[in-house]
Amino acid sequence: MLRYNLPALLVLSLFLSLTGCNGLPRTTTDNAPPLGPVLPDSEARNAWIAQALARDPLASQNRQPAPRQSNAQVVAKLRQKRDVQLPDAYWTQWQRNLDAFDADTLRHKEAQRALYIATFTDQLKRVDDLTLQRLANAPDTLDAATREDWKLRLIDRYSRYIIDSEVNRDIIDAHLRRMALMDRQYGVCALDSDCWDRPPTP
């Protein structure tokens, strides 16, 4: 299963840039005060927002997956282990199903990342020029209370991303349906009880 969770060290580095060495908030249930209305755009504000986004590990992260076995390699190893005579087309379909699952997972995670970026951008649009400039260029120069507020907003955004970007039930169910249809098409359950198209256990 593909996973693109943000490395902990990147999050820690952003915490430290906002807070120095004062550590995490007192509790994760603390809430930052609400921000004001969206302020008018300007060339300078847009540039500062872009710079602030570039400092954020998740917003700026290069979305390269961690090294892993290819689906072709996974299927090839499985084919060697299973003592079942099945045509090449079956194993080709198995790989396609894994590719489809990975694509669904990636789309879901990217949608949640886009929501994270949109939320952060909206927050940045609501702060005054001086605060925005400091968030963009030198967050450590913010006063202690403001740094704490932005640390809490970061934790809230990132926590929501981690929870919401996990593979959901719809993606898993779609994968299971594809695998069951594949085994049904090739009559696998008649050859091997360890198949995807088994009736549910009572």
Side-chain angles (χ1 to χ4, degrees), residues 116-156:
Y116 173 98
I117 293 171
T119 299
F120 189 21
T121 301
D122 179 75
Q123 291 172 342
L124 293 170
K125 287 184 174 184
R126 296 173 185 273
V127 299
D128 61 84
D129 286 2
L130 180 59
T131 300
L132 182 56
Q133 186 176 16
R134 288 180 175 176
L135 285 168
N137 298 313
D140 56 320
T141 63
L142 293 166
D143 64 81
T146 303
R147 287 200 308 272
E148 178 74 7
D149 291 343
W150 281 96
K151 179 170 61 175
L152 292 172
R153 293 185 185 106
L154 167 64
I155 292 172
D156 181 64

Side-chain angles (χ1 to χ4, degrees), residues 16-198:
L16 293 177
S17 73
L18 287 171
T19 65
C21 297
N22 294 327
L24 295 174
R26 293 180 298 278
T27 72
T28 56
T29 58
D30 290 339
N31 292 315
L35 294 165
V38 172
L39 299 179
D41 286 338
S42 70
E43 185 175 344
R45 286 181 62 82
N46 289 339
W48 291 329
I49 288 171
Q51 290 167 4
L53 290 171
R55 295 180 69 94
D56 184 278
L58 181 56
S60 62
Q61 187 181 12
N62 183 3
R63 307 300 293 166
Q64 293 298 320
R68 62 189 286 273
Q69 288 188 96
S70 69
N71 288 333
Q73 291 172 316
V74 171
V75 171
K77 288 184 178 181
L78 181 63
R79 185 174 186 175
Q80 290 178 346
K81 290 180 180 179
R82 289 191 75 177
D83 187 22
V84 180
Q85 295 298 317
L86 290 164
D88 291 345
Y90 173 80
W91 301 105
T92 299
Q93 186 60 50
W94 190 306
Q95 181 180 334
R96 287 175 181 162
N97 288 350
L98 292 181
D99 290 342
F101 175 78
D102 286 349
D104 288 346
T105 300
L106 180 58
R107 278 193 296 270
H108 175 67
K109 288 183 177 292
E110 285 301 315
Q112 295 305 318
R113 179 171 174 263
L115 182 59
Y116 173 98
I117 293 171
T119 299
F120 189 21
T121 301
D122 179 75
Q123 291 172 342
L124 293 170
K125 287 184 174 184
R126 296 173 185 273
V127 299
D128 61 84
D129 286 2
L130 180 59
T131 300
L132 182 56
Q133 186 176 16
R134 288 180 175 176
L135 285 168
N137 298 313
D140 56 320
T141 63
L142 293 166
D143 64 81
T146 303
R147 287 200 308 272
E148 178 74 7
D149 291 343
W150 281 96
K151 179 170 61 175
L152 292 172
R153 293 185 185 106
L154 167 64
I155 292 172
D156 181 64
R157 288 195 313 272
Y158 182 65
S159 298
R160 289 176 184 273
Y161 168 78
I162 288 296
I163 294 169
D164 294 342
S165 66
E166 286 299 307
V167 177
N168 61 33
R169 189 69 204 179
D170 289 343
I171 293 174
I172 294 172
D173 285 347
H175 178 63
L176 294 177
R177 285 194 298 271
R178 285 191 294 264
M179 298 302 284
L181 286 171
M182 175 188 70
D183 275 9
R184 191 178 309 161
Q185 178 183 353
Y186 290 94
V188 175
C189 292
L191 304 173
D192 186 354
S193 60
D194 186 17
C195 65
W196 293 92
D197 195 31
R198 290 174 296 181

